[in-house]
């Protein structure tokens, strides 16, 4: 699995400020709706249900919210860079500004895990996160995300 298979260029957004974790989840749901023609209320509900099981803020300003969504036929992602970090109940108690959400079909076992591992592994790289934070333009962010794994493979 590769980022280019996971995320559409129009599923990348820069948000100047968001008031809360819940507002951020709304932003992710709306982005998924506009990029993939998904049902935003259903996405929001799935994200909030997953988040109730435990926060998906993985530390160092990164969050990986994810949910299984009825009616999806493949795993897709959405990326938001926040210009102003928001509290996300992260494991290290640091606010979050790099957010990559994954939406998977209800029955996507291995594919969902592969996608989560790819995103998690990539966003644990401090150099990649610094590059993302330094380039608040959606097209540039998409390029950085999709080229990061190509550089590692080379």
């Amino acid at each position: 699995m590769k980022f280019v298979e996971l995320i559409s260029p129009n599923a990348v957004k820069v948000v100047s400020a968001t008031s809360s974790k819940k507002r951020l989840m709304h932003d992710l749901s709306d982005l998924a709706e506009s990029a993939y023609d998904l049902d935003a209320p259903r996405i929001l509900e799935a994200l909030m249900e997953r988040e109730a099981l435990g926060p998906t803020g993985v530390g160092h300003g990164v969050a990986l919210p994810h949910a299984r969504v009825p009616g999806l036929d493949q795993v897709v992602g959405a990326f938001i860079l926040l210009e102003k970090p928001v509290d996300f109940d992260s494991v290290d108690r640091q606010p979050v500004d790099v957010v990559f959400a994954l939406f998977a079909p209800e029955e996507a076992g291995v594919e969902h895990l592969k996608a989560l591992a790819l995103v998690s592994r990539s966003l644990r790289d401090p150099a990649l996160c610094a590059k993302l934070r330094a380039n608040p333009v959606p097209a540039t962010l998409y390029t950085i995300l999709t080229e990061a794994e190509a550089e590692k493979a080379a």
Side-chain angles (χ1 to χ4, degrees):
M1 178 163 293
K2 299 175 182 169
F3 270 106
V4 73
E5 299 167 346
L6 199 57
I7 189 164
S8 163
N10 57 350
V12 177
K13 185 175 181 180
V14 176
V15 175
S16 57
T18 192
S19 56
S20 66
K21 179 180 180 176
K22 186 169 185 179
R23 181 68 243 164
L24 176 58
M25 294 299 194
H26 277 276
D27 292 342
L28 287 166
S29 302
D30 291 343
L31 184 56
E33 182 176 63
S34 66
Y36 303 111
D37 198 30
L38 299 175
D39 181 47
R42 180 182 281 175
I43 294 287
L44 178 62
E45 181 182 344
L47 285 172
M48 296 306 285
E49 282 177 10
R50 168 55 190 89
E51 206 63 27
L53 299 175
T56 55
V58 296
H60 305 286
V62 176
L64 304 175
H66 52 279
R68 295 183 186 275
V69 180
L72 260 181
D73 59 356
Q74 68 180 42
V75 180
V76 295
F79 180 86
I80 290 182
L81 178 68
L82 294 170
E83 290 181 351
K84 183 177 177 238
V86 67
D87 180 37
F88 205 84
D89 303 318
S90 297
V91 294
D92 63 357
R93 302 188 196 287
Q94 297 300 308
V96 160
D97 62 347
V98 173
V99 184
F100 197 112
L102 286 171
F103 310 105
E106 285 183 302
E107 61 287 334
V110 174
E111 288 304 308
H112 183 207
L113 295 176
K114 283 181 181 178
L116 200 52
L118 168 68
V119 174
S120 175
R121 188 172 50 249
S122 298
L123 294 180
R124 263 184 290 189
D125 179 354
L128 176 61
C129 287
K131 204 172 184 182
L132 291 167
R133 290 178 173 116
N135 291 284
V137 176
T140 306
L141 292 168
Y142 176 79
T143 300
I144 292 167
L145 286 167
T146 55
E147 288 181 352
E149 65 192 339
E151 289 173 16
K152 286 183 180 176

